[in-house]
Amino acid sequence: MQDIRLGAFEEMVLLSIAALLDQAYSVSIRDEIRKVSDRNVKLGMVHSVLNRLEKKGLITSHLAEATKKRGGRRKRYFQITHSGKVALLQTRNQREQLWNTIPDFVFKGLSYDRL
Amino acid sequence: MTDFNSPPRWATRLLKWYCRSEIFEDLAGDLEECYHENWELYGKKANLIYVIDVFKFIRFYTVKNPKMGSIIHSLRLLSNYSKTSVRNIFRNPLFSSINIFGLAICMSIGLLVIAFLFELSNFDGFHEDKENIYRVISTYQSPRNGTLELATSSVLLGQKMEEQTPGIKSLVILNRTLSGDVKKGNNAVPIRGLYASKSFFDVLSFPLIQGNPKTALQQPNTIVITTTLAKKLFDDEPLGQIVEFNDDKHFEVTGIVEDPPMNSHIKFEALVSLQTLENEAQNEENPRLYRWSSMWDSYVYLKKEVNTSEDQIYSSMQQIADIENKTLQTYTIEVGLQKLSEILPGKNLSNQIGPAFQTSQLYFIIGLTLIILISACFNYTNLSLARSIRRAKEIGVRKVLGAKKGQIFGQFIIEAITIALISLSFSLIFFYLIKPYFLSLDESMSELVKLNTNWNLLPYFLLFAILIGLLAGFMPSILMSRLQTLLVLKDTGKVKLFKQFNFRKTLIVLQFAICIVLIISTIGLYRQYQHAVLFDLGYQTEYVVNVDLQGNDPEILSDAFATLPAVKEVSNSQMIMSTGDVISTRAKYNDPLDSARVEFNAVDEHYLPLHNIELAAGKNFGARDYLKEIPSVIVNAPFLQRFNIGSPNEAIDEIILLDGQKMQIIGVLENLHHSTIFSPIHAFALVHDPTAAKYLNLKIDPTQSMTLMSNLNDVWKKIDPVHTLNAEYFDDRIKSTYEEYAVMMKMVGFLACIAILIAAMGLLGITIYHVETKLREIGIRKTFGASENQLVLHFSRGFLILLFISAILATPASYYFLDSFVISQLTYPASKQYIEFSLGLILIFSLGFLIIFWQIRLAAKRNPVEVLKNE
């Protein structure tokens, strides 16, 4: 098994790409992350992470048709690769194992909605 | 969606420049998308966000990584360019020498100005916390006498500010009336210095070597001396010793301070505590020192708290001034603040504490230098363009081999910069040659700056040279890089080299216009100077030597001088007229409420005959007039007019009030110019008072003037061994009064010479190339029977028209310059003659004709066979 460690932000980006299916490009990814986190995510951060992920081979990209909105420039769409999926699953697996070891009484009386 | 808005194009271009091509497209797209989004949200702020984003995207993974290969490639190209530049310089020795020589001369002036600016900008830089130091200045405003801006202010204002104004860290009051002889044992040294209040060393950072800076100037009768003065006075430890001052005062030395540095606008040899002056003033009733109106001799410097604004201090000063101004009747005193950094160079103020240099003078110098520099750049541009026909083929070949526009441009720019850098090394030599002349232009100049070159200046010099290269090479480089390859290679002869001939013509016209303006101004200035120096003042100044008494008894000295055979007559006076010095007071006639400012001079009974001063009515002073109960006075015609006294004959024996003293008019002056030609003749009086004498006036036998000065010196030394003799011919003194014009004339004249030299060289180069391209035509014309004269006429016509155009442009320009800068300042200017205009024009024209005719004649004389046989 390959062992690729994902950073927290990398994981979020990767998840967003997976969630957005074939609509994942930098701006939409940024918006997606903004939706779920209250961090003011900057385009530059997303870009550099995308660049890193692509280098690691976790995502691939291709240029799509030109759109008027962007001054006639094409969008670069991202897709998650097989190893990307593996990496996500691995991370999730690790997390869940850890979650499972936590006894229930630790979080007793807390629920996310009421935080 | 608003499609009208698009992000700033330069930012996009920047992005394209640094960004890798494979990333650029989508990155730019993303940014633009965000931009439109932001536009909806924030409006115009989106532009700013876009720009910031572009800069934020400069990261490792976005930036093109410069390949080693391309660096080596561009280095190789650079060395190739410089090699071809050097080759080109050698291939056209005539051109290159004209260019290098011209640029070098002009750049040396540029270097001089840079060094000068550098030194001026460092003025007063040694004071700690200097951005919080201010000087209090005042403006004297009177409806009758006009306004006068002064560097001085009153002691009273300083003291009130110290008490009332919040936000002042420390404040020092200085008074400039300290001058006299300091004596220790048998050592006596004449000094000039300042009275200073106790916080002197808190405000200003003059390093105290010995003594306590807090207390050195606290007590009355204490003195702080400079190291130089200490060495002159003492052999042993000076601190704590008592020195004698002007024979009647005793000061204790409480400190030794380093000599004020060259770059300080405050200069002194000693500081005496202001308390000393204050103690003396205590004995007076309503002491002059503390009057609001005594703002002619004192200076106030202050250091404000960091968090106090200038305005806060200013408004507090204003309040003080408003209250005090109510005590004045005929005039008011406005107050102001001046930053330390704006003192030198600064605005034109009277009563400066030390050396001064006006900002306007600075701009004048910079402006003239720029004009000359531009003229030299024109030469380069012009000659390169003229030569471009020769190089068109080279460019064509390079373009065919794949050189881009930018590369051709780069090559020519580098060539220009190479030439400028070579010129720089030559200009350094010229710089050292002209430096002493610049420093001796004006007496004050060498007090102001040294113009020592150091390594700090080198980057400025290099930058300057590169800028000059860019400026000179820009036009030719642009035009060369735009050459069309096919056209050039097909037939060089047919290349109509752009429309540049008009451009070149414009440059020549401008160059000559500059020359004409400068030369006419020089001649005009020379005439005004001569006029001022030779002006008929209404009395005789020739063969009169004025000796500064420097505190000595006038009678003893005049008796001693009278024994010399060269001295025919001796008189004494309180001041020297017609040199800008003024002593004034108030005068009244019958009406006790009507007083007027009157300038006067106190003289003895020999003064009038010695100077051949003529009287319209009345008689000269008698020897004992000043002892009479009602002393005698001689006045001038404007005085009579001011008080409506009537005709000169009627005025005799009338009684007037001068400085509160009743005086009887015994004579009326005939047309005496008591002041300079800058100002009209005011109401003026000569008072008989030999005891007020500050100068001796010696009438000299012109045949024995050779050894005069040494003889005078011998006599002087016997009577006053402390001071050095200060004797000067009256005419020389008048000359130095108009020194300003002499300086301006020398400067403009020097620049005119350089401008002419450069223009002449440029014209020579252009003519040579013009003729060279027309050799064949000349040959053919000659074979068809044209005479030499016809040829000369035909080919020089174009150039002559240019000269005429420049003359037409330059004449009104120089007229305007002379009128507004020189003649308007004079009340009695030289009569307007057009000799300067015609002389200047003739000079330039004959020079231009000479060059053109010489070259064209040379070509016309050639045997046509030689020219044509190779075709």
Side-chain angles (χ1 to χ4, degrees), chain A residues 25-26 47 70 73 76, chain B residues 22 30 32-33 37 61:
Chain A
Y25 73 104
S26 51
H47 245 274
R70 297 158 54 90
R73 297 196 181 89
R76 183 175 293 274
Chain B
E22 64 266 28
D30 289 348
E32 190 156 342
E33 196 177 332
E37 219 170 80
Y61 72 96

Side-chain angles (χ1 to χ4, degrees), chain B residues 98-166:
Chain B
I98 287 181
N99 276 332
I100 291 175
F101 187 66
L103 277 176
I105 286 188
C106 296
M107 278 167 73
S108 63
I109 299 172
L111 297 188
L112 203 67
V113 171
I114 291 175
F116 186 57
L117 282 179
F118 189 75
E119 219 161 307
L120 279 194
S121 69
N122 281 335
F123 239 84
D124 294 314
F126 60 93
H127 292 293
E128 269 168 47
D129 207 7
K130 55 177 184 266
E131 52 282 354
N132 289 321
I133 301 178
Y134 291 83
R135 172 164 80 178
V136 178
I137 54 175
S138 16
T139 312
Y140 169 90
Q141 278 180 332
S142 134
R144 180 164 269 168
N145 298 327
T147 54
L148 189 61
E149 287 190 277
L150 301 162
T152 44
S153 47
S154 55
V155 175
L156 183 74
L157 178 65
Q159 288 177 336
K160 293 243 166 182
M161 282 176 74
E162 219 166 2
E163 286 163 22
Q164 299 174 10
T165 308

Side-chain angles (χ1 to χ4, degrees), chain B residues 613-712:
Chain B
I613 296 174
E614 285 171 25
L615 294 177
K619 59 179 194 306
N620 184 17
F621 298 115
R624 307 190 64 77
D625 275 8
Y626 69 106
L627 297 169
K628 287 198 290 193
E629 197 181 333
I630 300 178
S632 313
V633 64
I634 296 177
V635 298
N636 66 356
F639 188 100
L640 300 184
Q641 275 159 25
R642 172 64 186 78
F643 291 104
N644 284 324
I645 303 183
S647 77
N649 284 319
E650 288 164 7
I652 304 297
D653 292 342
E654 290 294 313
I655 303 290
I656 57 157
L657 214 62
L658 197 74
D659 204 14
Q661 166 79 47
K662 270 190 182 174
M663 290 196 182
Q664 186 176 32
I665 298 176
I666 61 157
V668 177
L669 293 165
E670 175 93 66
N671 220 3
L672 176 87
H673 282 264
H674 61 91
S675 73
T676 60
I677 65 167
F678 294 111
S679 51
I681 304 180
H682 291 293
F684 179 72
L686 283 175
V687 180
H688 187 252
D689 188 1
T691 55
K694 291 224 165 76
Y695 295 93
L696 285 187
N697 324 103
L698 314 177
K699 182 79 172 240
I700 301 304
D701 183 357
T703 55
Q704 300 187 45
S705 57
M706 293 289 278
T707 54
L708 177 78
M709 284 300 167
S710 65
N711 288 343
L712 288 182

Side-chain angles (χ1 to χ4, degrees), chain B residues 116-127 130 205-207 258-267 340-341 343-345 354-355 446-450:
Chain B
F116 186 57
L117 282 179
F118 189 75
E119 219 161 307
L120 279 194
S121 69
N122 281 335
F123 239 84
D124 294 314
F126 60 93
H127 292 293
K130 55 177 184 266
S205 315
F206 291 101
E258 260 179 38
D259 287 25
M262 183 85 178
N263 63 347
S264 167
H265 81 279
I266 302 174
K267 303 255 153 91
L340 183 70
S341 58
I343 291 178
L344 200 153
S446 48
E447 277 171 36
L448 201 64
V449 287
K450 281 210 178 75

Side-chain angles (χ1 to χ4, degrees), chain B residues 802-819:
Chain B
L802 295 187
L803 282 187
F804 275 115
I805 296 174
S806 52
I808 290 166
L809 284 178
T811 315
S814 32
Y815 185 84
Y816 171 78
F817 172 81
L818 276 180
D819 219 36

